[in-house]
mmCIF file of all heavy atoms in Angstrom:
data_model
loop_
_atom_site.group_PDB
_atom_site.id
_atom_site.type_symbol
_atom_site.label_atom_id
_atom_site.label_comp_id
_atom_site.label_asym_id
_atom_site.label_seq_id
_atom_site.Cartn_x
_atom_site.Cartn_y
_atom_site.Cartn_z
ATOM 1 N N LEU A 72 -10.681 -25.014 17.790
ATOM 2 C CA LEU A 72 -10.422 -24.289 16.583
ATOM 3 C C LEU A 72 -8.958 -24.445 16.154
ATOM 4 O O LEU A 72 -8.611 -24.703 14.971
ATOM 5 C CB LEU A 72 -10.697 -22.782 16.798
ATOM 6 C CG LEU A 72 -12.083 -22.339 16.335
ATOM 7 C CD1 LEU A 72 -12.281 -20.846 16.735
ATOM 8 C CD2 LEU A 72 -12.272 -22.469 14.850
ATOM 9 N N LYS A 73 -8.118 -24.373 17.185
ATOM 10 C CA LYS A 73 -6.690 -24.488 16.873
ATOM 11 C C LYS A 73 -6.396 -25.890 16.235
ATOM 12 O O LYS A 73 -5.536 -26.003 15.342
ATOM 13 C CB LYS A 73 -5.889 -24.296 18.157
ATOM 14 C CG LYS A 73 -4.366 -24.318 17.987
ATOM 15 C CD LYS A 73 -3.715 -23.657 19.168
ATOM 16 C CE LYS A 73 -2.167 -23.742 19.060
ATOM 17 N NZ LYS A 73 -1.664 -24.514 17.969
ATOM 18 N N ARG A 74 -7.067 -26.898 16.754
ATOM 19 C CA ARG A 74 -6.797 -28.218 16.175
ATOM 20 C C ARG A 74 -7.427 -28.314 14.733
ATOM 21 O O ARG A 74 -6.870 -28.854 13.872
ATOM 22 C CB ARG A 74 -7.440 -29.274 17.074
ATOM 23 C CG ARG A 74 -6.556 -29.661 18.259
ATOM 24 C CD ARG A 74 -7.113 -30.838 19.034
ATOM 25 N NE ARG A 74 -8.397 -30.529 19.520
ATOM 26 C CZ ARG A 74 -8.595 -29.982 20.778
ATOM 27 N NH1 ARG A 74 -7.564 -29.724 21.527
ATOM 28 N NH2 ARG A 74 -9.823 -29.778 21.220
ATOM 29 N N ALA A 75 -8.641 -27.740 14.643
ATOM 30 C CA ALA A 75 -9.360 -27.860 13.359
ATOM 31 C C ALA A 75 -8.618 -27.090 12.251
ATOM 32 O O ALA A 75 -8.460 -27.641 11.136
ATOM 33 C CB ALA A 75 -10.760 -27.245 13.513
ATOM 34 N N VAL A 76 -8.161 -25.886 12.556
ATOM 35 C CA VAL A 76 -7.387 -25.168 11.558
ATOM 36 C C VAL A 76 -5.980 -25.465 11.764
ATOM 37 O O VAL A 76 -5.150 -24.700 12.227
ATOM 38 C CB VAL A 76 -7.647 -23.629 11.680
ATOM 39 C CG1 VAL A 76 -6.920 -22.894 10.538
ATOM 40 C CG2 VAL A 76 -9.107 -23.337 11.634
ATOM 41 N N ASP A 77 -5.610 -26.715 11.401
ATOM 42 C CA ASP A 77 -4.318 -27.237 11.655
ATOM 43 C C ASP A 77 -3.246 -26.376 11.013
ATOM 44 O O ASP A 77 -3.304 -26.009 9.840
ATOM 45 C CB ASP A 77 -4.262 -28.664 11.133
ATOM 46 C CG ASP A 77 -2.978 -29.347 11.507
ATOM 47 O OD1 ASP A 77 -2.873 -29.926 12.586
ATOM 48 O OD2 ASP A 77 -2.018 -29.269 10.725
ATOM 49 N N GLY A 78 -2.238 -26.115 11.774
ATOM 50 C CA GLY A 78 -1.106 -25.381 11.243
ATOM 51 C C GLY A 78 -1.116 -23.910 11.731
ATOM 52 O O GLY A 78 -0.086 -23.237 11.613
ATOM 53 N N ILE A 79 -2.252 -23.463 12.204
ATOM 54 C CA ILE A 79 -2.263 -22.063 12.656
ATOM 55 C C ILE A 79 -1.594 -21.985 14.036
ATOM 56 O O ILE A 79 -1.688 -22.944 14.864
ATOM 57 C CB ILE A 79 -3.701 -21.564 12.803
ATOM 58 C CG1 ILE A 79 -3.770 -20.077 12.918
ATOM 59 C CG2 ILE A 79 -4.482 -22.271 13.946
ATOM 60 C CD1 ILE A 79 -5.203 -19.456 12.802
ATOM 61 N N SER A 80 -0.869 -20.932 14.208
ATOM 62 C CA SER A 80 -0.184 -20.725 15.470
ATOM 63 C C SER A 80 -1.148 -20.090 16.457
ATOM 64 O O SER A 80 -2.127 -19.486 16.081
ATOM 65 C CB SER A 80 1.038 -19.796 15.256
ATOM 66 O OG SER A 80 0.625 -18.484 14.932
ATOM 67 N N GLN A 81 -0.825 -20.248 17.713
ATOM 68 C CA GLN A 81 -1.669 -19.661 18.721
ATOM 69 C C GLN A 81 -1.847 -18.172 18.550
ATOM 70 O O GLN A 81 -2.945 -17.663 18.655
ATOM 71 C CB GLN A 81 -1.012 -19.957 20.085
ATOM 72 C CG GLN A 81 -1.984 -19.818 21.252
ATOM 73 C CD GLN A 81 -1.298 -20.221 22.573
ATOM 74 O OE1 GLN A 81 -0.172 -19.768 22.850
ATOM 75 N NE2 GLN A 81 -1.914 -21.026 23.349
ATOM 76 N N ARG A 82 -0.792 -17.522 18.261
ATOM 77 C CA ARG A 82 -0.851 -16.104 18.056
ATOM 78 C C ARG A 82 -1.755 -15.725 16.914
ATOM 79 O O ARG A 82 -2.632 -14.861 17.069
ATOM 80 C CB ARG A 82 0.607 -15.558 17.810
ATOM 81 C CG ARG A 82 0.624 -14.093 17.624
ATOM 82 C CD ARG A 82 2.048 -13.570 17.491
ATOM 83 N NE ARG A 82 2.288 -12.847 16.285
ATOM 84 C CZ ARG A 82 1.874 -11.634 16.086
ATOM 85 N NH1 ARG A 82 1.158 -11.037 16.993
ATOM 86 N NH2 ARG A 82 2.159 -10.962 14.950
ATOM 87 N N MET A 83 -1.606 -16.363 15.826
ATOM 88 C CA MET A 83 -2.422 -16.041 14.634
ATOM 89 C C MET A 83 -3.841 -16.374 14.838
ATOM 90 O O MET A 83 -4.750 -15.609 14.350
ATOM 91 C CB MET A 83 -1.909 -16.686 13.396
ATOM 92 C CG MET A 83 -0.589 -16.146 12.877
ATOM 93 S SD MET A 83 -0.552 -14.304 12.967
ATOM 94 C CE MET A 83 -1.796 -13.898 11.762
ATOM 95 N N LEU A 84 -4.147 -17.422 15.584
ATOM 96 C CA LEU A 84 -5.527 -17.679 15.892
ATOM 97 C C LEU A 84 -6.169 -16.607 16.767
ATOM 98 O O LEU A 84 -7.274 -16.121 16.516
ATOM 99 C CB LEU A 84 -5.702 -19.058 16.603
ATOM 100 C CG LEU A 84 -7.143 -19.440 16.925
ATOM 101 C CD1 LEU A 84 -8.029 -19.406 15.701
ATOM 102 C CD2 LEU A 84 -7.163 -20.825 17.564
ATOM 103 N N THR A 85 -5.363 -16.149 17.735
ATOM 104 C CA THR A 85 -5.857 -15.079 18.565
ATOM 105 C C THR A 85 -6.113 -13.811 17.768
ATOM 106 O O THR A 85 -7.199 -13.217 17.854
ATOM 107 C CB THR A 85 -4.786 -14.798 19.719
ATOM 108 O OG1 THR A 85 -4.624 -15.970 20.445
ATOM 109 C CG2 THR A 85 -5.254 -13.683 20.573
#
Side-chain angles (χ1 to χ4, degrees):
Chain A
L72 266 174
K73 186 159 174 355
R74 279 187 298 272
V76 185
D77 186 89
I79 194 171
S80 66
Q81 197 173 49
R82 182 173 123 74
M83 287 319 293
L84 181 55
T85 301

